[in-house]
Amino acid sequence: MAASRAAVVGSLFWKCGSCSTGTFLICTNVNTQLLSRQICATPAMRRKNLAAAGPQKFTEEFIKKQVEEFNIGKRHLANMMDEDPQTFTQEDIDRSISYLFPSGLFDKRARPVMKHPDQVFPRQTAVQWGEDGRPFHYLFYTGKQSYYSLMHDMFSKILAVEKYQDRLRSKNLFSLDTKQISLAGSRWLLKEELEESLVENISDHDFARFIQLIERLVALPYGAAEEEFVLGYRRQLEVQSSKQEIQPLQYDQKGVAYSTADGRRKMSTASVTLKDSGSGKFTINGMDQLHYFPVLQDREQLLFPLHFARMLGRFDVDSSVTGGGRSAQAGALRLAISRALLSFLPEGQVEDMRQAGLLTPDPRVKERKKPGQEGARKKFTWKKR
Amino acid sequence: MQVRSVHSGSGLQLQAVAMETEPHPAKNLSVFRTTEADPARHSEQHAAQYYTLSPTHLRTVFPHGLPPRFQMQVKTFNEGCVMVRPPALEIISHLKKADYSKPALHYLLYGATGCGKTMSLCHVLHYCSTQGWLVLHIPDAHLWVKNCKELLPSSSRPSRFDQPVQASQWLQNFKVTNDHFLSKIKTTRRYVWTKRERTEEGRPLAELVEQGVNRVKSSSDVVGALLRELRLQAGQGDFRLAVAVDGVNAAWGKTSLKKEDKSVLLEELTLIHNMRKMLNNDWCGGAIITALSQTGSLYTSRLSYLPQELLGQEGFDKMDPFVPVPVSNYTEKEFESCYLYYMDRNWLQHPNSKCECYTGFMSDLRYPSTAGNLFIIKSFKTVCGPSYCSNFTYNIILFIMQ
């Protein structure tokens, strides 16, 4: 679908540029149907059997043509938007497309998009055998040639490292305290990512064996020799807390630091102001927290962020909350307090707060009632007859 | 995770050690207790300290008077310890100086929920009891205006309703408290209960009470008669009468009782009618000590605690003039005392509670009026309830720190 949509967008630009019209539908299927038409052809037979066809195959020339069209279309788009075609980046393209084709669709993937064909069309393997029909790769007949060749390479590396270790042992130079490959801050490739890089489908079992083998390589004492190879199969984990936006502290007239933040949970919204050098006073909608939340559980929720950051008696909290029920209001206040607290915290603690779950907004909302059912999940009484 | 010990420790209790005449070398933290068990000798010197109620007194003076949570605590710790606090001391000092030939004075304990009104009342009653007064304690007037399963039309007056179960229960407890008086005081007139039962003039009150306990149907009228007798005879100077009512706002509030789907008016309940007559200060030779209570009251806002709000116009006028005694949250010293008491009883089982934590959060208690400073183990909650002052309206729950 993405392919056809991009093709449509690309084709529009092609039309702008030149007078010739080009239909870029794949006509092969239709042609074969016309050629092999039978005498008594029912509509059902003429319908394409989509399941049997398998994934769409794109030839190399087709992809090349798409790339040319994309580049020309990019220049036309730049001209249309009065910008320099030479320095027109993908972000500019996205911006222009969303301006020219505004869409109210909720799913971002359903909106019009113009991307380079390499990102749109899935990578295809080139033809695997020569003119005489003999396959190029020696493992072609295993069915998963790239996977098995990768495993074979890894194993030969393991053997090489073990041979080196034996040589060292024979010379009495073997020692266990060598530099090991550091795996901190990164994760193994996911199965989908491995499939993408190998351009082949692999099963869960195959993937598990792959991980097993590469961990065996990492575990060898002198495995550091293959560090580059191993790290190629690791992906860096971003520090999540770096994505958190922390507002800078504000100071009021007397020089006292304060910060404000909002929080939401279910149907309630809360807004909180934390003032420094306070006494632990806690006001909600003008009332003391003890009167507003008679239930212990709610008060625990409110005080947890401050307790976690060990800043219990330091702040004066002034807050307002509307909507929702008692638990929802407590949850909204807790989120708002955690966010307001971020401005006062040192770096390392922000990550701690995130891991404690204080900064995650709770996505659970009331599920909608469906027609034909009593409630969201409850069904009407089932009568056998 | 450890609690930071930021501050300079406000060991107010520990400072007191220097001033104590009898230092306790074994447990230097036992200054939260006092050995003075006689309420008459309690003074500011003993403020914020716990004194122990002897088991006999517990059984006789408070068969039904103590709050249920405190009763559970007594059972758990095998001892009843009450903290000496300013409101109770104030009332006791007034009682010591009052003139008992004048009409009885009203004392009204009021304050936010969980501040210690009932416990202060019990302390005062203990004083009265040790001084040999006759104690008439109605532990919770709210129990007489709601949830009564049986409501019988009164035998003596057609427009009234009787509550036999509540009345007989109360009479039993009254007997336990004041057994020694009942044989001495005599009735002043003849009471006819039914065609066959009557109590003659000059019989001891014990017989009257027996009558009420055995014949449940007429127990409400017995209560009325008993109260009348005590009112009349307290003025004659043989004994002093202490009328203690907890939740006195029930007498002038609303009731949720219904008779055949028609709501009953408060005036139509015998017990309430008699209680109101008792609360009128037209008798002498005693004192009327009362406490307000929002917790059990019907149709009142949760946050109201002032006498005007809870008593209503009518109640306020009837109680006027009274001596208002405000009861407030624990002060720093009282809080420390309470904490030490629970530690001493091994109730707080947190590993940090003994050392750093104590100094750490004692320092946080700079402003007792602010809530939400600290957290103490939820076990506190099971004994003393979270929002009660014996539960420090500071809202104290100590998180089990990881």
Side-chain angles (χ1 to χ4, degrees), chain B residues 284-304:
Chain B
C284 6
I288 306 174
I289 313 147
T290 58
L292 292 178
S293 168
Q294 193 282 325
T295 325
S297 66
L298 295 161
Y299 309 111
T300 49
S301 150
R302 182 170 52 90
L303 303 169
S304 53

Side-chain angles (χ1 to χ4, degrees), chain B residues 13 32 34 42 46-52 70 80-89 116 119-120 123 330-339 341-342 389-390 392:
Chain B
Q13 298 288 21
F32 56 91
T34 172
H42 285 157
H46 302 108
Q49 287 179 353
Y50 279 89
Y51 81 96
T52 321
F70 187 73
C81 281
V82 179
M83 196 193 272
V84 177
R85 293 183 76 206
L89 288 175
M119 287 310 292
S120 299
H123 187 183
Y330 275 178
T331 58
E332 267 196 46
K333 195 156 170 242
E334 287 168 342
F335 173 69
E336 219 177 293
S337 194
C338 181
Y339 180 77
Y341 174 66
Y342 281 115
C389 164
S390 16
F392 347 103

Side-chain angles (χ1 to χ4, degrees), chain B residues 26 34 68 73 122 139 176 190 204 222 230 262 300 324 353 370 376 382:
Chain B
T34 172
Q73 183 180 308
C122 292
V176 168
R190 194 158 151 250
V222 167
L230 290 175
K262 221 172 60 161
T300 49
S353 54
T370 63
I376 292 190
T382 52

